[in-house]
Amino acid sequence: MKEFERKQLLERVNREGATVGTQIPDRIEVQGEEIDLREFVFEIKRRDTIPSRERERVDQAKRNLRRERLERLQRIEDNEVSYDEGRRLAEDIVGIDRALNALEQLRPVDLEQQEHRQNAADQKRWMNFLKKALGRDGGKGKRGGR
């Protein structure tokens, strides 16, 4: 592949917003294993959050996808492939990025911990309200002329 072609491909995969309008690949080989990437991402995204029992599986998938992205990018950077193969790798990289973006948007859920944080925040708001209502808001002046 010619140097300017290689630079174009690298610019394509590193461009801000490169994933806009890009589809997650149906199937992709990741770390030597063929996976149904689109199905996996949509299965996880349907839940809106990552249950604790699925967290390790999703974290491992993200690590594998990042590793695969880096390996494909390296092949383009090192000019180890033809232009056509480089284009396929670039499309795969952008598809992997799209899948990673989708997976990164999910939040892990630990319902007990979330409930505890919410209760603590509610209690803090209540205590602040009471302090202000009773005129004990941290020495910012007393209520009334007593």
Side-chain angles (χ1 to χ4, degrees), residues 1-2 6 8 41 43 93 96 99 142-144 146:
M1 138 173 44
K2 297 176 183 154
R6 188 178 68 79
Q8 281 179 334
V41 170
E43 170 195 331
I93 291 168
I96 289 170
K142 293 184 179 184
R143 283 185 53 188
R146 295 186 199 186

Side-chain angles (χ1 to χ4, degrees), residues 106-132:
L106 298 173
R107 298 284 179 240
V109 171
D110 183 341
L111 296 178
E112 275 184 40
Q113 197 173 40
Q114 184 178 359
E115 183 179 0
H116 177 71
R117 281 193 304 266
Q118 189 170 359
N119 287 339
D122 289 345
Q123 186 174 10
K124 185 176 180 179
R125 282 192 296 275
W126 177 246
M127 293 304 292
N128 286 337
F129 169 77
L130 287 176
K131 284 179 183 178
K132 287 180 183 178

Side-chain angles (χ1 to χ4, degrees), residues 53-112:
R53 66 185 181 282
E54 291 287 326
R55 193 172 303 144
E56 181 56 36
R57 178 177 168 223
V58 172
D59 288 344
Q60 183 64 45
K62 289 191 296 189
R63 283 190 296 272
N64 288 342
L65 286 169
R66 285 188 198 101
R67 191 175 303 123
E68 192 65 37
R69 181 196 191 281
L70 187 59
E71 288 175 8
R72 290 170 192 233
L73 182 63
Q74 194 69 47
R75 290 179 63 197
I76 296 171
E77 287 176 343
D78 293 346
N79 207 5
E80 295 177 357
V81 295
S82 69
Y83 180 68
D84 288 337
E85 178 65 15
R87 281 183 41 224
R88 282 190 292 278
L89 289 172
E91 288 305 311
D92 286 347
I93 291 168
V94 174
I96 289 170
D97 287 345
R98 177 73 177 90
L100 283 168
N101 287 342
L103 293 172
E104 291 293 340
Q105 290 174 1
L106 298 173
R107 298 284 179 240
V109 171
D110 183 341
L111 296 178
E112 275 184 40

Side-chain angles (χ1 to χ4, degrees), residues 7-84:
K7 285 183 179 181
Q8 281 179 334
L9 293 175
L10 292 173
E11 190 275 328
R12 163 76 172 108
V13 299
N14 293 317
R15 182 182 326 144
E16 185 78 24
T19 61
V20 173
T22 300
Q23 297 280 329
I24 296 172
D26 288 329
R27 292 183 63 78
I28 193 167
E29 187 176 318
V30 176
Q31 301 299 297
E33 181 182 338
E34 191 79 18
I35 63 168
D36 294 323
L37 185 58
R38 183 179 295 170
E39 183 180 316
F40 172 74
V41 170
F42 287 138
E43 170 195 331
I44 298 298
K45 276 196 67 96
R46 264 185 245 125
R47 300 176 182 154
D48 290 327
T49 57
I50 305 171
S52 58
R53 66 185 181 282
E54 291 287 326
R55 193 172 303 144
E56 181 56 36
R57 178 177 168 223
V58 172
D59 288 344
Q60 183 64 45
K62 289 191 296 189
R63 283 190 296 272
N64 288 342
L65 286 169
R66 285 188 198 101
R67 191 175 303 123
E68 192 65 37
R69 181 196 191 281
L70 187 59
E71 288 175 8
R72 290 170 192 233
L73 182 63
Q74 194 69 47
R75 290 179 63 197
I76 296 171
E77 287 176 343
D78 293 346
N79 207 5
E80 295 177 357
V81 295
S82 69
Y83 180 68
D84 288 337

